[in-house]
Structure formats: structure tokens, C-alpha cells
């Protein structure tokens, strides 16, 4: 086999992997990952830390149930968004009486939570009990966290 044919063969093999799409339960995937069926994600329940200094760190899971206790405001801390660009969390306060307060690890004053379609952010985010913000979706853009409720 000539050298040019070997190079052409290698190029074809690598281009198939470079532009490949994976389908689960489908023979014609239309996206990089195309799932025809159900998707399950990791679900966790976390109890809160009493203060910002002892905040419970959220660094695992996708659907997170926050369980603040003892008629207080318990603190939870999300990763620095620059460490986890593109990460998505579904976070829910599961209590009826206590507020869950979210902050960002490595908070330096510049990291913020932004509501969708807003340029005004805050350093912390409260998830009150029994309110319309009981469940929110948080998305890291690599600089801040944007939330949807």
C-alpha cells in the first residue's frame, strides 16, 4: 500500500471520530449525543451548614434537594463557575419552614447569581420555603451562575 493511501485511510478514520455522533436507541443521531428514551441524573439531598463559614458544598449530583434545618437559614455553596463552565444544577428547597441560602465558593465579590434576562446580579441567592422559587435551575457560564425559576 502506498504512503498516500495510508495517509488517506488514516484521515478518513480520524475524521469519522472527530465528527461522530452517538445515538442511544436511535440509528440516525441528529446531535453529538442523541437519546431516544429516558435520561436519569444523580439525585442528592444535602443538609445545610449553619453559617456562610460552614456552608455545605454542592459539588456533585444534578438534581439537588436542599434540607435546611432548625428554623434557621442554612447556607449552601456552589462551585466557582469558572471551574465548572456549562454545569447545570436543578436545586430545590424541600422544607416548609426554613430558607436555604446559596453562595459561590471562592466568593471574591465579582462572582454573581444572575436571574435570566437580567444584568443585575447578587452575591447570594435565597430559596425560601413554600414559594415560587422553591425549585430553580442554575447554569454556569464560566463566569457567573444564571438561574431560571
Amino acid at each position: 500500500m502506498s504512503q498516500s493511501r495510508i495517509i488517506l485511510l488514516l484521515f478518513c478514520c480520524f475524521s469519522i471520530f472527530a465528527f461522530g455522533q452517538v445515538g442511544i436507541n436511535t440509528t440516525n443521531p441528529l446531535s453529538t449525543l442523541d437519546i431516544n428514551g429516558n435520561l436519569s441524573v444523580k439525585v442528592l439531598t444535602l443538609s445545610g451548614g449553619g453559617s456562610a463559614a460552614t456552608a455545605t458544598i454542592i459539588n456533585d449530583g444534578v438534581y439537588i434537594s436542599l434540607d435546611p434545618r432548625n428554623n434557621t437559614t442554612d447556607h449552601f455553596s456552589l462551585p466557582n463557575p469558572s471551574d465548572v463552565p456549562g454545569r447545570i444544577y436543578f436545586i430545590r428547597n424541600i422544607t416548609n419552614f426554613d430558607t436555604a441560602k446559596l453562595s459561590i465558593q471562592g466568593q471574591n465579590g465579582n462572582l454573581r447569581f444572575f436571574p435570566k434576562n437580567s444584568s443585575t446580579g447578587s452575591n447570594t441567592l435565597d430559596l425560601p420555603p413554600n414559594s415560587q422559587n422553591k425549585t430553580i435551575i442554575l447554569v454556569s457560564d464560566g463566569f457567573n451562575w444564571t438561574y431560571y425559576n
Side-chain angles (χ1 to χ4, degrees), residues 21-30 34 36:
Q21 295 171 315
V22 175
I24 298 174
N25 208 21
T26 180
T27 57
N28 186 23
L30 302 175
D34 191 343
N36 181 14

Side-chain angles (χ1 to χ4, degrees), residues 12-147:
C12 289
C13 289
F14 286 118
S15 66
I16 289 170
F17 293 114
F19 302 107
Q21 295 171 315
V22 175
I24 298 174
N25 208 21
T26 180
T27 57
N28 186 23
L30 302 175
S31 298
T32 303
L33 176 59
D34 191 343
I35 300 171
N36 181 14
N38 297 323
L39 172 68
S40 293
V41 295
K42 190 171 187 177
V43 177
L44 294 176
T45 298
L46 300 174
S47 295
S51 69
T54 60
T56 299
I57 296 172
I58 299 171
N59 61 5
D60 194 16
V62 175
Y63 191 90
I64 313 290
S65 295
L66 302 181
D67 191 8
R69 299 294 180 123
N70 303 324
N71 296 316
T72 63
T73 297
D74 277 350
H75 293 259
F76 300 85
S77 183
L78 288 169
N80 187 314
S82 64
D83 294 338
V84 291
R87 183 168 293 177
I88 299 172
Y89 289 114
F90 296 81
I91 297 184
R92 179 172 186 248
N93 180 350
I94 62 172
T95 67
N96 291 322
F97 304 104
D98 303 315
T99 298
K101 184 177 283 293
L102 295 175
S103 61
I104 302 171
Q105 292 174 30
Q107 184 63 268
N108 61 10
N110 296 326
L111 303 174
R112 299 260 193 270
F113 293 102
F114 286 94
K116 68 176 180 176
N117 301 326
S118 176
S119 60
T120 304
S122 61
N123 289 333
T124 61
L125 183 61
D126 288 347
L127 276 71
N130 290 327
S131 72
Q132 68 181 15
N133 292 340
K134 194 163 181 120
T135 301
I136 61 172
I137 300 169
L138 289 143
V139 180
S140 165
D141 65 7
F143 300 99
N144 295 288
W145 288 97
T146 302
Y147 65 93

